[in-house]
Amino acid sequence: MPVLLLAASVTVVGCNEASFLVPPPTLRGIAIPLPPPSIADQVLVYIDVEGGVPMGFDHPATEAFVYETRTERGYFVGTDGLEFTVQDVLVDVTNNCLETWFVDGVDGEESSLVSYKAVVLEGEEACANPSCSAPDDLGACLCLEKWTTGCG
């Protein structure tokens, strides 16, 4: 009986591209331009998202991006120094995820992506948080919660 011998050689080469964390955007709060009688009774609401530009991205042509994954709408604005406001972002208050990042106006470098969820809260103490909108007539407000692993 003939014996067949096979020889195999496997070479594994690993290459990890070095990357440095670039400061992510920080959102400071939500403003609701014309609040409905009660935010809690609404499903779709237009909001203004305010934020701060991280150090190193304070160049004149830097842009701030917001992508709402559930409505699949994207928004971008030029930054004004260390601040930005994205107006009329459509969110479903029952199910939303806001992804945010910056693109440097000088060399096109992108910041890290950060996810936020807009949630309805009630009560004077909860709505006093700077990341919240002003309370409506019934004491409800819309607030930003940072999600470290994306909105799940």
Side-chain angles (χ1 to χ4, degrees):
M1 178 185 238
V3 176
L4 181 60
L5 296 175
L6 295 175
S9 174
V10 177
T11 304
V12 177
V13 178
C15 181
N16 290 332
E17 185 176 312
S19 63
F20 299 96
L21 292 177
V22 178
T26 55
L27 298 185
R28 285 195 307 266
I30 295 177
I32 300 178
L34 295 173
S38 177
I39 298 166
D41 294 338
Q42 301 296 311
V43 176
L44 295 174
V45 177
Y46 285 96
I47 62 173
D48 293 347
V49 178
E50 301 168 351
V53 178
M55 296 301 286
F57 282 84
D58 52 351
H59 306 292
T62 296
E63 294 178 319
F65 289 83
V66 173
Y67 180 72
E68 206 296 301
T69 62
R70 306 301 193 249
T71 60
E72 297 182 343
R73 291 182 180 209
Y75 308 86
F76 68 95
V77 295
T79 59
D80 183 23
L82 296 175
E83 299 179 356
F84 69 93
T85 301
V86 180
Q87 297 180 333
D88 298 327
V89 177
L90 181 65
V91 295
D92 177 337
V93 297
T94 63
N95 185 14
N96 63 75
C97 179
L98 301 168
E99 296 179 341
T100 60
W101 70 95
F102 290 98
V103 175
D104 187 314
V106 174
D107 58 12
E109 182 179 16
E110 288 189 26
S111 71
S112 300
L113 181 94
V114 178
S115 297
Y116 291 86
K117 189 170 181 84
V119 295
V120 177
L121 298 179
E122 293 183 11
E124 203 172 297
E125 188 175 321
C127 294
N129 189 317
S131 72
C132 297
S133 68
D136 63 19
D137 295 340
L138 300 177
C141 59
L142 200 58
C143 303
L144 290 171
E145 288 184 359
K146 187 174 183 179
W147 288 69
T148 56
T149 59
C151 300

